[in-house]
Amino acid sequence: MNNAVKKYAAIGLVSLLGFSMPSYAAEGAEPVNQAQKLSPEQQLAYTAQNKNESVEKRADALRQLARYPNQNSLVAVARGLKESDPQLREAAIIGSDLYQFEYRWRMISPLLTDSDLTVRMTATTNLLREYSAMTAEQQQQIEQPYNEVVVYLSEQLEEPKNTDSQLLLADVYRWHKEWKKADSLYQPLVKNSPNNSQAWLNLSDNYRAQNKDIEALEVLNKGIAQLPKEASLYYSKALTQVRLNQKESAANAIKIAATLAENNSYYWYLTGVLQENIDIDFATESLEKAYLISGSPEQLYAVCDIYVRHGNEKADACLVELAKIAPEYVITQLKEKQTQSK
């Protein structure tokens, strides 16, 4: 996707210190009448900050905000990370999941030394996933929390059939680039729990992280043989095949993923991208479906982009709609493409 579109779509998310406070999140806001006017994601942000609600309800709202990484959610998450109740701090960490690593590090790293073990572990595992992107100083800072998580999870493995701890410990090793240790835990998991799709996905990721895409694809094919209706396996297979330059096979795999998870807009978006050089009509329909599901500016841009490049009769109408939410220079760029395609 065009970098300009990514930039305008991310407005409001790129600064933790420069955002403006939404009126309904401010101290003294009138809860009932204000809340009734809010969109679902705004309602969650409001609930997360409403001290009149129970801790459990506020924590649930914070966790759900992970699906809506926008300015209002960011305010709620940033406040939640500073709450006195550890349940709220932990939930806020989860709610921060989709923000860029540099911002999550600034928000979450102070909780690596939190007084509550669960909060420390949640903060550690959230940030550790980005170990490869960390500076040497950040890696040094997370080493002690990492060791604490390893010790804790290793102790949990003494309990019979504790697959959740086994999977998380394998992930922790993988994130920390300890491939062999991770593999030694993933392998028995896929053998003893073959219906655990996450085990297959994460074992595949362990190979991908070592640039062993052929081995990763073999794992995914075995997982699909066990779980032929698991959309996430086909999605991961498609990405692996793209890396292996098996583009037509990748297009087929993502098409299956989108069909199985029919309301996943991102799968339909990728289907449109990968199908463009194979079946332009189906690619266009897939991008349209992605936008109808999500309503996101990025996917409206994708629809307009394929329209203008292929002379679709709906191109002008699409640009009119996009102009309502996109900067003028984005529309100008698309119109230039439209002229070139004629």
Side-chain angles (χ1 to χ4, degrees):
M1 181 175 296
N2 186 296
N3 287 334
V5 176
K6 288 183 178 179
K7 182 177 180 181
Y8 90 76
I11 290 174
L13 303 182
V14 295
S15 172
L16 293 179
L17 302 178
F19 52 72
S20 59
M21 190 68 67
S23 61
Y24 65 84
E27 297 295 336
E30 298 178 9
V32 177
N33 291 334
Q34 287 279 56
Q36 289 175 345
K37 302 176 184 177
L38 305 179
S39 66
E41 58 266 34
Q42 289 174 327
Q43 179 64 68
L44 288 171
Y46 176 83
T47 299
Q49 298 170 82
N50 187 354
K51 296 184 182 297
N52 293 322
E53 295 285 3
S54 67
V55 168
E56 290 74 17
K57 190 169 182 178
R58 292 178 66 196
D60 181 63
L62 282 166
R63 287 188 288 269
Q64 290 190 59
L65 286 176
R67 296 178 293 160
Y68 306 104
N70 56 45
Q71 185 171 345
N72 293 337
S73 300
L74 184 58
V75 173
V77 166
R79 286 182 166 181
L81 292 168
K82 297 178 181 179
E83 287 282 351
S84 59
D85 193 297
Q87 186 176 343
L88 293 175
R89 296 198 300 277
E90 181 196 9
I93 295 171
I94 296 170
S96 73
D97 206 41
L98 293 183
Y99 296 106
Q100 294 181 9
F101 170 67
E102 60 180 302
Y103 304 123
R104 281 192 292 115
W105 178 268
R106 289 170 60 187
M107 290 192 294
I108 297 172
S109 60
L111 300 182
L112 292 173
T113 56
D114 195 89
S115 59
D116 184 87
L117 172 62
T118 301
V119 173
R120 291 199 305 274
M121 287 188 55
T122 305
T124 302
T125 54
N126 180 288
L127 295 174
L128 192 65
R129 292 173 300 171
E130 310 286 351
Y131 187 79
S132 296
M134 291 182 185
T135 64
E137 182 180 354
Q138 289 170 333
Q139 290 180 344
Q140 183 178 8
Q141 186 175 340
I142 208 169
E143 198 64 20
Q144 191 281 326
Y146 159 76
N147 288 325
E148 181 181 35
V149 169
V150 168
V151 169
Y152 176 84
L153 292 175
S154 297
E155 292 173 350
Q156 304 309 304
L157 296 187
E158 298 176 5
E159 300 179 12
K161 297 182 178 180
N162 196 337
T163 57
D164 290 343
S165 293
Q166 185 176 345
L167 182 58
L168 181 55
L169 181 57
D171 292 343
V172 165
Y173 283 140
R174 170 167 57 88
W175 297 328
H176 201 250
K177 299 185 177 182
E178 298 185 72
W179 321 123
K180 290 184 178 179
K181 288 183 178 180
D183 187 77
S184 70
L185 293 173
Y186 286 133
Q187 293 291 353
L189 269 175
V190 297
K191 179 180 179 180
N192 300 324
S193 304
N195 292 329
N196 187 332
S197 62
Q198 202 61 51
W200 291 107
L201 289 166
N202 294 7
L203 173 57
S204 173
D205 278 344
N206 199 48
Y207 286 120
R208 178 192 57 78
Q210 301 173 73
N211 296 314
K212 296 180 178 180
D213 286 316
I214 293 176
E215 291 89 340
L217 183 57
E218 290 174 354
V219 168
L220 292 167
N221 283 331
K222 290 178 181 178
I224 287 170
Q226 290 288 336
L227 300 165
K229 294 185 178 181
E230 181 57 53
S232 60
L233 290 171
Y234 291 97
Y235 163 70
S236 188
K237 179 178 179 177
L239 298 185
T240 304
Q241 289 174 320
V242 167
R243 293 193 297 271
L244 290 169
N245 203 31
Q246 300 174 4
K247 295 182 180 179
E248 190 165 341
S249 296
N252 183 61
I254 196 61
K255 179 179 178 181
I256 296 172
T259 302
L260 288 170
E262 59 180 350
N263 290 320
N264 187 312
S265 65
Y266 187 61
Y267 287 2
W268 284 112
Y269 165 74
L270 288 180
T271 300
V273 172
L274 293 176
Q275 287 281 338
E276 182 172 352
N277 293 326
I278 299 171
D279 184 338
I280 184 59
D281 290 336
F282 185 70
T284 302
E285 291 172 6
S286 297
L287 292 175
E288 289 171 341
K289 186 164 186 176
Y291 174 62
L292 287 173
I293 293 170
S294 71
S296 74
E298 301 95 330
Q299 291 178 354
L300 178 57
Y301 173 89
V303 172
C304 294
D305 181 61
I306 202 169
Y307 281 175
V308 301
R309 287 188 293 104
H310 293 276
N312 191 292
E313 62 182 10
K314 294 183 283 188
D316 289 336
C318 189
L319 290 174
V320 170
E321 287 302 311
L322 185 62
K324 297 176 182 178
I325 54 175
E328 184 177 350
Y329 66 87
V330 172
I331 306 303
T332 299
Q333 290 173 355
L334 286 173
K335 287 184 176 179
E336 289 173 356
K337 288 184 182 182
Q338 188 177 29
T339 301
Q340 293 168 4
S341 69
K342 292 180 179 179

